[in-house]
Amino acid sequence: MLGFTRIRRVAPIAVNTHGGRAKCLQRLIRLDLPVPETVALSFDAVHRLAEGQAFDKKALLRVFGDAPLLSVRPSSEDPDWGGPGAILNIGMNDARHAELTESHGAEAADALYLRFVQAFAVHVERLDPELFEFDASVPVHEALKSALEAHEDETGDPFPQDPAHQLGQVLRSMARAWEGTTARLLRQAKGAPADAGLGLIVQSMALGLGPGESGAGVVQLVDEQTGAPVIKGRYLRQAQGRAALGKGACGVLYLSKDERGESLEEAQPDLFAKLVEMTRLCRVRLREEMQVEFTISEGKLFVLDAVRVPRSSRAALRIAVQLAEDGIIPREEAILRVPARSLTELLHQQVDPTDSRDVLAKGIAASPGGAVGRIVFNSTDAQTYEARGEPCIMVRRETTPEDIRGMHSSVGILTERGGVTSHAAVIARGIGMPCVVGASIRINSRERTLTLEDGRKLEEGDVITLDGSAGEALLGAVRLLPPVKDHWYVTLMDWADAIRDIGVRANADTPSDAAVARNFKAQGIGLCRTEHMFFEGDRLTVMREMIFAAKHEDRAEAIARLLPMQRSDFIELFCIMEGLPVCIRLFDPPLHEFLPSDREGAKELAEALDLPLSDVTRRIEWLSEFNPMLGMRGVRLGITFPEIYEMQARAIFEATIEASKHGAPVVPEIMIPLVSAKREVELVKTQIDGVAAAVRNETGAEFTYRLGVMVETPRAALRAGDIAQNAAFLSFGTNDLTQMAYGLSRDDAGRFMNAYVQQGVFPEDPFHTLDFEGVGELLKIGAERGRKVRPELTVAVCGEHGGNPESIAFCRAAGFDYVSCSPFRVPVARLAAAQLVAADAK
Ligand code: PEP
Ligand code: MG
C-alpha cells in the first residue's frame, strides 16, 4: 500500500526522498510557524502512483479531519527542475459549494468552485483549455455554470463530487505529468538526473476568502534584482494562491507603506508586523532569503510555503555577503553560494555612453553588456575566428542548439528574430554574453551579408559593437567601459582571496590588458605574448621587415628599430603592475600571421620595404610553410636568429632598470616558447645571460630575473626533468599542448568538432575544457618530473583553460602554483579557486 507522511517536527522527511518543498515545510513547522496540516508523498510513492498502483485515498483524506479543501503541490529535489503546477480547492463539490455560499457568500463560493473545475478539467482530465476560459466580464456565477456544463458535455459525466476520487485523480495526474517525456527532457536540460523523483505535498487550505481580513499574498525581505533589503510582495484580499497575485490582478495591496497605493502595513499593522517577523525568522533559521507564501483567513495568519527568493546574479552575491556579514552563514558558505561563472555576467563591460554611436540596428535587449567583434554568420566561422584570437559577434536569423558551440566562441549574439525568451536570449544570458534579438536587419547567410533598414550592407569580418543593455548594434569599435564593482563584490572577493591557495594571474599583452588585470586583482601577468604587441600599424611593418630580412644586416636594422618599442612597452607594463611578477614570453609568431595574405597586402609591404613586388612575392613564397603552427615558431626562431631574442632580452633588462628607478623593484620573468629539447633552453639561456651581463656592464645597474620554459609540446612535458635543470618555472601552454597531444589543428578543428562532440567522440571540445585524462596526464607528468629535479620549481598553466573552474580544480590538485587566464576571467578564477578551499573545509 502506498505510504504518505504527515509533516511533523520529527517526521522522517529528506530532500532526496520527499523533495525540497517537503523539507522546507518541515523546517517551517519546526519554527512553530502556523502551517496548515500537511502531508508528503515520497518520490517512491509518487512513482508507484504514476505506474497505477492503488492507494487508500480515504485514509489520506482522514488526516485532514472534517472535510476541508486541499491543495496539491510538487516537491522535487531541486526547485529548478520544475514540476506540475499546483492544484487548489480539491474537495469542492455541489454540497461544499452550498455550505460555503452560506458561510462566505455566493461570490466567494463560486470563485472557489470555478477555480477547481477549471484546473481539474484542464490539467487532470486534459480537456480543451479554451472551453474553460472566461472573459473577466462574465459574472463568476455564470462562468461556473458554463464550466460545469462544458465538463459534462465533454466527458458525458457530471463533475466528480467525491473528494477522495478528486484527490486520487489529481495526485495520479501530477505523478504522470512528471514521468512524461517532455517534462523529463526539460528537467534533464536543467541538470536533473534521468531518474529524478517527484514528491507531492497535500495541504489543508486556509481560505483567503470570507468575513474579516482575508486574502493571500507573498512576502520577501530583499529585492530580487539588486539584493538590497526591502520588504517586498503583494497581498490580495479575498483571494487564494500565488496565481491570483499575478501581474494585472486588480485590488492588489502593497505590503509595506507605499505612495502608490494601499498597503497591508497600514490596513493591518499587527498582521503585517507578525508576517515580517516570521519572514525574518525564516531568513535566520533557514539561512537563506525566503519568499513566504501566506494566507490571512478571517484575521488569522497562515504560512503555506516558502521558497528561495529567485534572484539575479548581482542579488545572489549581495545576499550571500549580507547573510555572512549578519553572522547567519560563515564566509566560506557565502563564497560557495555564488556561482563563479556568474561573475562574468556581473562584471560585464558596458558600452561607453559618451563615445559616439552610429546605430545600425535596434532590437530587444536580451542580455546585458557590451562587446566589440567582427561579424560572422555561422558557428564554424565563429570557432575559426576564436581560434585566431579574433573576437567575433555571431549574427543569425535565430539560433538553434546547433549554434551553441559558435555562441561560446563569440563575444556577442545578434539575431533577426526572437524575443527575450528565444533560444539566443536564454543561452546568451546563461553564458553572460551580450545579446540583441529581434533586430531590424535582414540576413543573407549564403552571401554572408546583412542589410540594415536604411539599405546599408555589412559583410563578414566587419567590426561592430553590440550593446546588449540598450538592445542596439553599433558601427565599428565603440569604447567599452569596465564594469562597476560594488562593496558586495569587493567584500566577497576579499574573502575569497584570503582563503585561496592557488595564484591567479592574467594573460595580458598590452598596457590596457594589464590595467584590466590589475583592476581585477590579478597577482601578476602570467603570459605576455610579445608578438601581439606588433599586430598593428607601423609596428607590423617593422615586424614584417624583420621576418622578411634575408640578410643579417637587414635583420639587424629592423631589430634595432624594434628595440625601443619593446623597451617602452615593457616599462609601461612593469609600471602598471607595480612590482607584481610579469612573465614575458619571447617572440612566438606563427609566421603566416605576419605575412600579407593577398596581393594588396604584398603591394603595401613592397612599398614599405622599397622592394619590387616580385621580390616580396618570392620571399612570401619562400617563407610560407605547409604547417605554420608546427613550423618556424617559438624557440625555433630564437635559435635560428639569435639576435631576435637578444634584442628582446635587452629591452626587458633596460626596462627593468628604468621601471625599478621609479617604483617597486622589478624581477622580470622571461619565458621561452615551444620548447621540446633541453638543448634549446641551454642555448637561449646562454644568450640571455650574456645580454644580462652586457647590460649590467654598460649601466652599472644590478637586477635579477627568472628564466622559465613554456611547456607546449608533449616532449617538453615528458622531458620536464631535463628542461627544469635550466628553468626557474614551467608554464603549461595548454592550447598548443592540446593541439599537439591530440594532433588537432587549433585553427581547423572547428570544422569537425561539432560532429565529434555530438557523436560522443570527445565529451567536450578539448580546447574549451581541459582533457584531464590525456593532456591532464601530461601536465601531471611534467610537474612531477620537473619538481623532482628542482623542488622549488614554479609550475603554472597559461593556456585558455586557466580560467575554467574545472581546470583550476585539476591544477590545484596537481600542486600548481598559479593559473593565468584572460583578464576578464580573473575574478571567476579567483572565486573558483577559493571555492575549492571552502568546499574542502566543509
Ligand atoms: C598555449 O599554447 O597554450 C599558449 C598560451 O600560447 P599561444 O596560445 O600563444 O600559442
Ligand atoms: Mg602556444
Side-chain angles (χ1 to χ4, degrees):
M1 194 49 117
L2 203 79
F4 50 82
T5 314
R6 282 174 85 178
I7 305 189
R8 289 271 177 272
R9 283 172 164 274
V10 291
I13 299 285
V15 175
N16 61 1
T17 56
H18 291 80
R21 176 169 266 135
K23 188 70 215 167
C24 181
L25 280 160
Q26 185 174 49
R27 292 195 177 122
L28 300 181
I29 288 167
R30 286 180 178 158
L31 295 178
D32 288 328
L33 297 184
V35 179
E37 181 72 63
T38 306
V39 162
L41 273 71
S42 67
F43 295 170
D44 180 51
V46 174
H47 181 64
R48 285 192 281 146
L49 207 53
E51 287 183 330
Q53 189 169 327
F55 84 106
D56 189 349
K57 300 169 263 264
K58 291 218 157 55
L60 175 54
L61 264 189
R62 274 198 299 276
V63 173
F64 296 96
D66 200 12
L69 298 184
L70 302 176
S71 69
V72 179
R73 276 173 290 169
S75 176
S76 56
E77 206 168 326
D78 181 329
D80 288 345
W81 298 346
I87 295 191
L88 308 183
N89 304 341
I90 300 157
M92 275 308 289
N93 54 19
D94 294 348
R96 187 70 53 78
H97 178 249
E99 277 167 34
L100 284 164
T101 306
E102 252 330 84
S103 58
H104 289 69
E107 186 148 0
D110 289 346
L112 287 171
Y113 201 3
L114 174 64
R115 182 107 183 255
F116 179 52
V117 175
Q118 286 171 316
F120 195 85
V122 175
H123 299 295
V124 179
E125 294 184 315
R126 309 265 160 209
L127 302 181
D128 183 353
E130 276 185 17
L131 298 171
F132 297 89
E133 280 163 13
F134 301 97
D135 201 83
S137 60
V138 180
V140 185
H141 181 68
E142 273 174 36
L144 173 62
K145 198 161 157 266
S146 306
L148 288 168
E149 280 167 9
H151 180 276
E152 191 156 351
D153 284 350
E154 289 295 299
T155 62
D157 289 317
F159 190 74
Q161 296 293 305
D162 175 13
H165 170 80
Q166 292 173 351
L167 179 61
Q169 293 296 305
V170 167
L171 292 173
R172 202 176 303 283
S173 82
M174 287 171 86
R176 290 205 169 126
W178 179 256
E179 307 267 331
T181 315
T182 320
R184 180 167 322 152
L185 289 177
L186 271 176
R187 63 178 176 267
Q188 281 179 2
K190 292 177 187 159
D195 60 350
L198 176 75
L200 287 173
I201 304 290
V202 187
Q203 193 177 59
S204 180
M205 294 198 51
L207 287 190
L209 301 163
E213 183 66 56
S214 293
V218 288
V219 59
Q220 64 191 45
L221 304 177
V222 283
D223 180 272
E224 62 277 17
Q225 287 307 320
T226 63
V230 52
I231 297 170
K232 244 186 126 167
R234 298 153 79 77
Y235 171 69
L236 184 59
R237 284 183 168 146
Q238 301 300 326
Q240 272 197 295
R242 234 168 225 284
L245 302 163
K247 273 219 168 90
C250 47
V252 172
L253 269 61
Y254 294 99
L255 284 184
S256 50
K257 283 185 196 133
D258 197 301
E259 288 170 350
R260 292 167 295 177
E262 203 183 348
S263 70
L264 183 67
E265 184 173 13
E266 285 155 313
Q268 295 287 345
D270 293 347
L271 282 172
F272 172 80
K274 211 161 162 187
L275 183 63
V276 171
E277 190 194 306
M278 286 178 184
T279 314
R280 289 216 170 100
L281 184 68
C282 285
R283 174 177 188 263
V284 174
R285 300 290 290 278
L286 272 53
R287 306 161 73 243
E288 181 53 288
E289 289 292 354
M290 302 301 286
Q291 186 183 69
V292 171
E293 186 180 343
F294 66 94
T295 289
I296 299 177
S297 191
E298 298 178 31
K300 203 162 170 270
L301 187 61
F302 291 93
V303 170
L304 309 186
D305 194 15
V307 293
R308 245 178 116 250
V309 172
R311 61 200 69 179
S312 68
S313 300
R314 185 173 165 205
L317 193 152
R318 179 163 180 178
I319 288 169
V321 172
Q322 190 69 67
L323 285 170
E325 285 189 339
D326 293 349
I328 296 170
I329 59 172
R331 287 178 178 182
E332 286 77 8
E333 177 77 35
I335 287 169
L336 285 169
R337 283 194 187 186
V338 179
R341 286 192 171 88
S342 74
L343 295 185
T344 352
E345 184 190 336
L346 206 71
L347 298 170
H348 270 310
Q349 309 180 82
Q350 299 291 340
V351 174
D352 186 343
T354 62
D355 203 358
S356 60
R357 48 203 290 155
D358 178 352
V359 179
L360 299 172
K362 284 180 188 284
I364 297 166
S367 178
V372 176
R374 296 186 183 277
I375 296 178
V376 294
F377 290 91
N378 59 51
S379 256
T380 313
D381 288 351
Q383 287 168 72
T384 311
Y385 272 72
E386 189 198 27
R388 288 209 300 259
E390 286 188 62
C392 63
I393 290 177
M394 189 149 94
V395 183
R396 301 285 285 161
R397 189 154 293 152
E398 62 205 332
T399 63
T400 64
E402 267 107 62
D403 293 315
I404 288 187
R405 209 149 280 284
M407 295 172 80
H408 275 282
S409 299
S410 311
V411 294
I413 312 290
L414 173 66
T415 68
E416 187 179 338
R417 297 191 188 144
V420 278
T421 54
S422 63
H423 181 265
V426 171
I427 300 290
R429 279 197 298 274
I431 313 174
M433 167 182 292
C435 176
V436 177
V437 297
S440 47
I441 50 173
R442 253 182 312 114
I443 295 172
N444 185 330
S445 319
R446 211 153 358 106
E447 280 182 16
R448 300 189 179 173
T449 57
L450 72 85
T451 311
L452 308 175
E453 258 177 351
D454 61 10
R456 278 188 285 177
K457 236 182 194 175
L458 297 180
E459 297 176 354
E460 190 207 304
D462 286 348
V463 174
I464 60 168
T465 299
L466 206 60
D467 188 340
S469 311
E472 292 176 348
L474 313 167
L475 185 66
V478 182
R479 200 167 40 237
L480 298 179
L481 290 179
V484 186
K485 296 179 295 181
D486 59 16
H487 162 78
W488 314 99
Y489 164 81
V490 172
T491 306
L492 184 81
M493 296 310 281
D494 282 350
W495 293 346
D497 287 343
I499 63 166
R500 184 158 57 80
D501 57 6
I502 180 166
V504 177
R505 294 197 195 177
N507 295 350
D509 311 324
T510 59
S512 80
D513 287 349
V516 176
R518 277 307 307 269
N519 196 25
F520 286 140
K521 293 210 176 159
Q523 291 164 288
I525 293 178
L527 172 65
C528 168
R529 294 172 163 107
T530 47
E531 66 282 357
H532 286 192
M533 295 167 151
F534 291 87
F535 272 149
E536 272 162 35
D538 297 350
R539 291 172 155 226
L540 180 59
T541 312
V542 188
M543 182 77 169
R544 281 175 168 169
E545 279 177 39
M546 179 185 80
I547 291 171
F548 261 67
K551 288 192 278 190
H552 176 78
E553 308 82 74
D554 293 345
R555 191 170 315 109
E557 207 245 313
I559 285 174
R561 282 162 59 207
L562 287 174
L563 175 68
M565 298 178 190
Q566 283 273 265
R567 190 172 44 227
S568 66
D569 288 338
F570 297 141
I571 291 175
E572 215 175 330
L573 280 189
F574 292 150
C575 290
I576 292 171
M577 297 310 289
E578 291 181 306
L580 290 173
V582 176
C583 180
I584 297 166
R585 178 175 79 181
L586 299 173
F587 273 141
D588 176 17
L591 287 188
H592 66 295
E593 288 182 15
F594 289 90
L595 297 178
S597 56
D598 54 16
R599 211 182 137 74
E600 203 46 43
K603 215 168 112 213
E604 271 174 33
L605 189 60
E607 272 162 21
L609 300 178
D610 196 20
L611 286 173
L613 180 61
S614 57
D615 279 14
V616 170
T617 327
R618 215 171 311 118
R619 185 87 181 132
I620 291 176
E621 272 167 24
W622 188 85
L623 284 168
S624 295
E625 295 172 309
F626 283 107
N627 193 340
M629 290 306 271
L630 299 179
M632 176 84 119
R633 275 182 68 192
V635 69
R636 298 159 198 172
L637 185 76
I639 302 268
T640 317
F641 304 114
E643 57 273 34
I644 299 178
Y645 280 6
E646 281 167 10
M647 174 277 287
Q648 288 199 290
R650 176 171 282 278
I652 293 169
F653 296 139
E654 290 177 358
T656 298
I657 296 168
E658 191 58 29
S660 301
K661 277 187 206 155
H662 306 294
V666 176
V667 180
E669 296 179 353
I670 302 179
M671 182 152 76
I672 314 173
L674 222 74
V675 164
S676 55
K678 176 185 175 186
R679 184 73 185 136
E680 289 168 327
V681 186
E682 283 172 356
L683 287 171
V684 175
K685 184 172 181 334
T686 310
Q687 286 170 37
I688 292 177
D689 286 346
V691 176
V695 174
R696 285 191 188 107
N697 247 339
E698 289 160 23
T699 59
E702 259 317 315
F703 56 86
T704 55
Y705 64 97
R706 302 178 78 218
L707 185 72
V709 166
M710 204 163 167
V711 180
E712 300 178 277
T713 66
R715 193 176 191 284
L718 296 171
R719 304 305 303 167
D722 285 351
I723 287 168
Q725 287 169 16
N726 291 302
F729 61 89
L730 298 182
S731 185
F732 288 83
T734 45
N735 304 333
D736 273 311
L737 197 55
T738 301
Q739 163 163 273
M740 296 193 209
Y742 277 91
L744 270 180
S745 161
R746 282 165 73 167
D747 298 330
D748 303 313
R751 296 211 188 149
F752 54 86
M753 193 55 79
N754 274 340
Y756 257 54
V757 174
Q758 264 163 21
Q759 294 178 54
V761 183
F762 300 155
E764 264 301 330
D765 179 344
F767 288 110
H768 277 294
T769 310
L770 185 67
D771 157 44
F772 299 135
E773 290 171 358
V775 180
E777 185 163 8
L778 287 169
L779 259 60
K780 281 199 216 157
I781 291 173
E784 209 175 284
R785 295 188 182 171
R787 285 219 169 115
K788 206 161 170 197
V789 170
R790 191 185 265 250
E792 76 287 6
L793 185 77
T794 303
V795 180
V797 65
C798 65
E800 284 311 309
H801 307 91
N804 172 299
E806 293 76 26
S807 310
I808 296 171
F810 179 89
C811 292
R812 176 174 175 263
F816 279 41
D817 297 285
Y818 70 85
V819 296
S820 188
C821 55
S822 56
F824 272 96
R825 293 169 84 191
V826 164
V828 175
R830 284 163 61 204
L831 184 57
Q835 286 175 340
L836 299 169
V837 182
D840 281 354
K842 251 192 158 182

